[in-house]
Each structure stands twice: as structure tokens, then as C-alpha cells.
Amino acid sequence: MILPRGLLAGLAGAALTLLASQAVGAEAVADPRLVAFRAACMPEHRQPAKRPVVFEREGWVPAADGDSPMLAEVVTLARSVAEEGKADGITGQLSVWRKDVGGRTAFLILSSVTSDAISLTGCYLYDFGALTGIDPAQVTAWLAEAPAQTVDRAGLKAQIWNAEGIDGVLELQNGLVAPDSQASRILGFHGVTIKVTSGVEMPAKEPS
């Protein structure tokens, strides 16, 4: 059966309209936690000293360790690891921030680790108690690459990307920790975390 040109044109137009509306819808439902993470953690991602200015610009405010019981668990563990590292010449620093994201209180932890051999900085967004994770397809679409590794064990579902298109990023990880799981007992929380770890950009050396 041959369809009239007018009908063909109408069907083509309707298809284009549907595709456009789907694209707009997909953009509209972008996970607010991923949006907040990208806005706070990716600018100046190799310059930990400059990141607080970015956080403040994005509406994050300093938080206390005790603002959330799970935050306190995470920070206590992180500070313990940093203290142990001092014996090996590793120094660590961290700061904690909070903001309302999608109607829930989210937390950021900014960390830096320095030794004679390495200088790294990390930015972690936490949505404690969340039962629904960030769709990894949204992260894949943003980075334009598939995860290099996936994890699904002991109550932890996570994906790890190399983020090869972003200079200085060592890895980017998105995870969901189930409540009352082995992972939650080890990590001290359940909920969502998304983090980026980058090499600190060192100042250029003056020519000798």
C-alpha cells in the first residue's frame, strides 16, 4: 500500500515531535543529585583550595559532623584512616558541607590526601537513607563512556568510570548501599554516594 505524501509528511512530523518531547522529558527528569554533584564537584576538580568557593556559589554551607548520624559514622571512619596514614607520611584533610537537594538533605565531603608520592583530592556527595540510586545510564550519557567496572555484592551496587574525557580524573564512582546490609555495616551508612577522585594539579615549575 502506498501512503499519500501528505499522510507521510504528517507521520514524519509527528515522529519528530515525539522524539523531541522524549528528549526534553529525559532532560527534565535528570537526577537532582547528579546535577548537584556535577555543579559542585567538577569545576576546579583538581584544585581543592578553590573548591569551597564553588560549593558556596552552588548554595552549599559548612556542616558539622553530627548533623547526621550516618555522616558522623562516615567522617569518623575517614578521620581514623587519615590518622593511621600519618605514620606512613600521608597527610589528609576533609571538610563537610550540606544542602537541600531534591527535597532531601545531601552532604558533600571534600578530601585531600598528600604524600611524597601522591597528591589526590576527592569530592563525595551523599544522600543518606535513600533507597533509590542514581541511574547509571545518566552518568554514562554525561561521560559518553560505559562503566569500566560494576559491583553488586554484599548490599553494594556500584559503577566505576575512568572518565577518560576529563583531564586529571582517576575515577568516578556511583553507588547505592542497601540498608541492613554487610556493606552498610562496613561503610557506616546506607543510601546513595557519588564521588570523583582526581590528581591535584601541581603548580608549574619555574625554569631553572
Side-chain angles (χ1 to χ4, degrees):
M1 181 178 66
I2 299 176
L3 296 177
R5 288 185 179 180
L7 180 57
L8 283 172
L11 290 173
L16 288 173
T17 301
L18 177 60
L19 288 173
S21 66
Q22 288 175 339
V24 171
E27 183 177 350
V29 298
D31 195 300
R33 297 166 297 187
L34 178 58
V35 173
F37 170 79
R38 291 181 61 178
C41 290
M42 299 315 297
E44 307 294 354
H45 71 96
R46 303 190 67 185
Q47 298 283 357
K50 295 181 178 180
R51 275 176 150 171
V53 174
V54 177
F55 296 168
E56 292 173 355
R57 183 184 70 208
E58 293 298 322
W60 295 86
V61 297
D65 295 1
D67 283 355
S68 158
M70 284 188 274
L71 174 67
E73 291 278 349
V74 170
V75 172
T76 297
L77 178 60
R79 295 192 194 280
S80 175
V81 171
E83 190 64 29
E84 292 175 2
K86 289 181 179 179
D88 298 319
I90 301 173
T91 59
Q93 295 180 328
L94 63 83
S95 61
V96 186
W97 304 73
R98 65 183 294 162
K99 177 185 176 180
D100 182 89
V101 175
R104 296 172 57 87
T105 299
F107 292 92
L108 279 183
I109 294 181
L110 170 62
S111 69
S112 60
V113 177
T114 305
S115 71
D116 291 338
I118 60 171
S119 187
L120 304 177
T121 179
C123 187
Y124 304 69
L125 184 147
Y126 291 93
D127 181 7
F128 294 120
L131 299 177
T132 303
I134 296 171
D135 184 353
Q138 294 193 15
V139 183
T140 291
W142 160 39
L143 298 175
E145 68 177 64
Q149 181 181 354
T150 59
V151 177
D152 187 357
R153 64 175 180 268
L156 169 64
K157 293 185 177 182
Q159 309 82 38
I160 301 171
W161 291 262
N162 293 328
E164 295 177 354
I166 306 177
D167 183 53
V169 171
L170 300 181
E171 71 169 31
L172 192 147
Q173 180 174 318
N174 173 46
L176 175 65
V177 180
D180 300 318
S181 64
Q182 182 181 355
S184 69
R185 289 188 288 274
I186 293 171
L187 298 173
F189 78 96
H190 69 270
V192 167
T193 178
I194 181 168
K195 69 173 184 175
V196 61
T197 303
S198 304
V200 174
E201 187 173 26
M202 307 305 292
K205 293 184 178 180
E206 294 292 335
S208 56

